[in-house]
Amino acid sequence: MTISRESRKEQALNMESVTWGDLTWLNIEQPTERETDYLAKHYPFHPMDLEDCLSRRQQPKLDVYEDYLFFIFHFSVWDRATRVSRHDQVSVFISDKYLITVHDGLLKTLVSLFQQCQTDEEARRENLSQGSGYLLYRILDRATDAYFPILNSILAWVDDVEDAVFDENVEAAQEVATIRRDIITQRRIFHSVRPVYAVLESKIKRFCKTDIAVQFGDLMDHVNKICETLDECKEIV
């Protein structure tokens, strides 16, 4: 078991790594062409996958190769002050020996999990000892669970708007338009990742040292609940 940064030359790159046994998690924040050039030199990745890591217009997807999988998923970034949502993405390369995450650092649960694995041996053991597939599941599970406070805020917002409408509040029309826009954004994110998540579990089995069918089923239940709740919010609005 080791924890390491890259060599001095590579420390200038926006990447850090943590290793347990034969599995290394390489985390790249704020990627540039320098980081993708590094990946191109050290890993057998398709050039189009590396290009997708730097693109902001990619849809969630799962590309399957003989030696690795390339996975893109979206998550919601919600500004509580302005109540405006947008999406960001995480790109993932996964094989039996590595998990590489490429992102802008906005998915706080991913950042937090990586930092825990860097500083806490028990966290490293818990998250990395069961294989890269299990580690990816942990990242997705944390990201999904962290969305529920946002969803609760949206539900409270819907209730407030509903009360204002029936109180004939003149500002209610603007609120309806604002919340409708936000719900559309949230639905687009989760309805696009749901079918990719549904396929992912069967594809990452080969990278797991334990059966995660039950855990992944629970993850899909949460994703489905989010989608259904957002659909209900849309109908109410």
Side-chain angles (χ1 to χ4, degrees):
M1 180 278 297
T2 61
I3 306 174
S4 66
R5 288 177 179 268
E6 303 300 317
S7 67
R8 284 191 175 183
K9 179 180 178 181
E10 292 163 357
Q11 275 186 0
L13 300 175
N14 297 325
M15 61 174 62
E16 293 180 299
S17 66
V18 57
T19 299
W20 180 279
D22 59 357
L23 174 61
T24 296
W25 179 3
L26 181 64
N27 186 50
I28 300 175
E29 290 190 20
Q30 301 292 331
T32 67
E33 289 186 1
R34 294 173 59 252
E35 284 74 35
T36 55
D37 287 345
Y38 172 89
L39 294 178
K41 292 177 182 178
H42 292 82
Y43 296 91
F45 298 152
H46 195 286
M48 294 186 65
D49 292 339
L50 295 173
E51 289 179 9
D52 289 347
C53 291
L54 301 179
S55 172
R56 296 294 180 269
R57 298 181 178 180
Q58 294 303 311
Q59 291 296 315
K61 68 174 184 175
L62 176 63
D63 293 338
V64 180
Y65 299 91
E66 183 177 352
D67 298 326
Y68 73 95
L69 306 177
F70 178 60
F71 173 52
I72 291 179
F73 70 94
H74 289 178
F75 62 94
S76 174
V77 180
W78 197 56
D79 188 320
R80 292 184 181 275
T82 62
R83 296 181 296 187
V84 173
S85 297
R86 64 181 180 84
H87 80 269
D88 207 342
Q89 75 177 38
V90 176
S91 301
V92 179
F93 297 93
I94 179 171
S95 183
D96 57 342
K97 301 296 185 184
Y98 56 77
L99 181 80
I100 300 174
T101 47
V102 185
H103 57 102
D104 287 338
L106 297 178
L107 184 54
K108 301 307 180 184
T109 53
L110 191 160
V111 173
S112 174
L113 182 61
F114 184 79
Q115 291 174 345
Q116 289 174 14
C117 290
Q118 283 184 305
T119 59
D120 188 309
E121 183 175 356
E122 179 60 25
R124 289 192 295 277
R125 184 200 64 77
E126 178 184 355
N127 291 286
L128 275 73
S129 65
Q130 298 302 316
S132 57
Y134 179 80
L135 176 57
L136 177 56
Y137 155 73
R138 290 285 292 167
I139 292 171
L140 298 177
D141 186 55
R142 281 196 170 202
T144 302
D145 286 347
Y147 180 74
F148 280 95
I150 298 176
L151 187 62
N152 290 335
S153 296
I154 292 173
L155 290 170
W157 188 9
V158 169
D159 288 342
D160 290 343
V161 171
E162 187 173 24
D163 291 341
V165 167
F166 286 104
D167 287 341
E168 297 183 357
N169 188 320
V170 294
E171 298 178 354
Q174 179 61 41
E175 283 288 282
V176 169
T178 302
I179 194 172
R180 178 178 179 274
R181 178 192 61 203
D182 193 77
I183 291 172
I184 288 173
T185 300
Q186 303 285 351
R187 289 180 73 251
R188 184 183 302 117
I189 294 170
F190 279 93
H191 278 275
S192 64
V193 301
R194 180 164 59 174
V196 182
Y197 280 20
V199 175
L200 181 64
E201 190 262 335
S202 65
K203 300 300 182 183
I204 62 173
K205 284 181 179 179
R206 56 178 168 145
F207 303 136
C208 296
K209 296 180 180 179
T210 186
D211 186 359
I212 61 170
V214 174
Q215 294 95 324
F216 217 91
D218 184 63
L219 170 64
M220 288 305 303
D221 286 344
H222 288 177
V223 172
N224 287 332
K225 181 179 180 180
I226 290 170
C227 289
E228 291 168 2
T229 302
L230 290 172
D231 288 345
E232 291 173 2
C233 289
K234 177 177 177 292
E235 292 302 319
I236 291 171
V237 172

